[in-house]
Amino acid sequence: YFMPVFSDRQKVEQRMGIVPDTQSVARFVPSDSIFKLDLCFDIEKLRASLAESLEKVGYANNEWKAQGFGILPLNHRAGDNDLSANDLSGRYWMRKDDRYVEEAFEDYVEESAYTDFDSRFAGTYLEEVYRALCARFPIGRVRVLSKEVYNCNSWHRDPEPRLHIPIVSNPGALFVVNHHVTHLPADGSVYFTDTRGYHTAINGGIEPRVHLVAALAFPPSQN
């Protein structure tokens, strides 16, 4: 009875002799599932272009807005700019309760069908960023996603990986992929995130977090 108690105390006392790392949490730390690309954009132009676009159209008025999420779609299917609620979310999987059983939610979205850039943003720096991404990758839905303070996404996985470009961030904004946790600074960098694995985004800061997120239109994972 006493041996485990003594052993546990030793473990705790050993840890007390180690000073925690409080510096690396304020910068990007890569992993196999999330890494920085060479491509980079002008962050000030990106912020100014977003501000102008939001002043013109605002975030989509949907159920997520009331929960602290903002969505600004930048493209749509060819010849069809009428986006449904499913277009804004799409298929994902999660284990929603203590059964730990994975379940599918929402319908699949055919990413490769989203080929038309929203004409309301024509000529903006947002379009320049969009064209640069399309020149390098098979791009599906592109959305600007905002997250209010003290807010997080569900713990889930998607059919496809994503590219993230932080536009507005803070040290408390974190991205988690398969238990790897890191901060993504808003400096114009482009990050590959393998969101086919379980992931979430957290804004534990006191300012909103805003990312441009582009789905990669590679053949999707069906299960």
Side-chain angles (χ1 to χ4, degrees), residues 75-82 110-117:
N75 61 350
H76 52 79
R77 294 183 184 87
D80 182 9
N81 60 3
D82 186 17
E110 181 56 55
E111 298 291 351
S112 61
Y114 292 75
T115 57
D116 285 6
F117 187 75

Side-chain angles (χ1 to χ4, degrees), residues 48-94:
S49 183
L50 175 61
E52 292 172 3
S53 300
L54 286 174
E55 186 175 351
K56 181 185 297 184
V57 302
Y59 285 115
N61 185 18
N62 51 61
E63 60 183 295
W64 295 288
K65 197 170 183 181
Q67 301 175 32
F69 300 97
I71 304 176
L72 179 67
L74 298 183
N75 61 350
H76 52 79
R77 294 183 184 87
D80 182 9
N81 60 3
D82 186 17
L83 296 174
S84 68
N86 193 72
D87 289 314
L88 300 178
S89 58
R91 170 56 56 90
Y92 64 95
W93 295 266
M94 64 182 297

Side-chain angles (χ1 to χ4, degrees), residues 88-107:
L88 300 178
S89 58
R91 170 56 56 90
Y92 64 95
W93 295 266
M94 64 182 297
R95 296 177 173 89
K96 67 178 183 179
D97 52 40
D98 61 5
R99 294 175 300 135
Y100 288 82
V101 175
E102 184 175 80
E103 299 175 75
F105 296 84
E106 304 290 348
D107 296 326

Side-chain angles (χ1 to χ4, degrees), residues 38-52:
D38 292 332
L39 184 62
C40 191
F41 296 101
D42 186 316
I43 189 61
E44 295 305 328
K45 286 184 178 181
L46 195 49
R47 287 172 178 163
S49 183
L50 175 61
E52 292 172 3

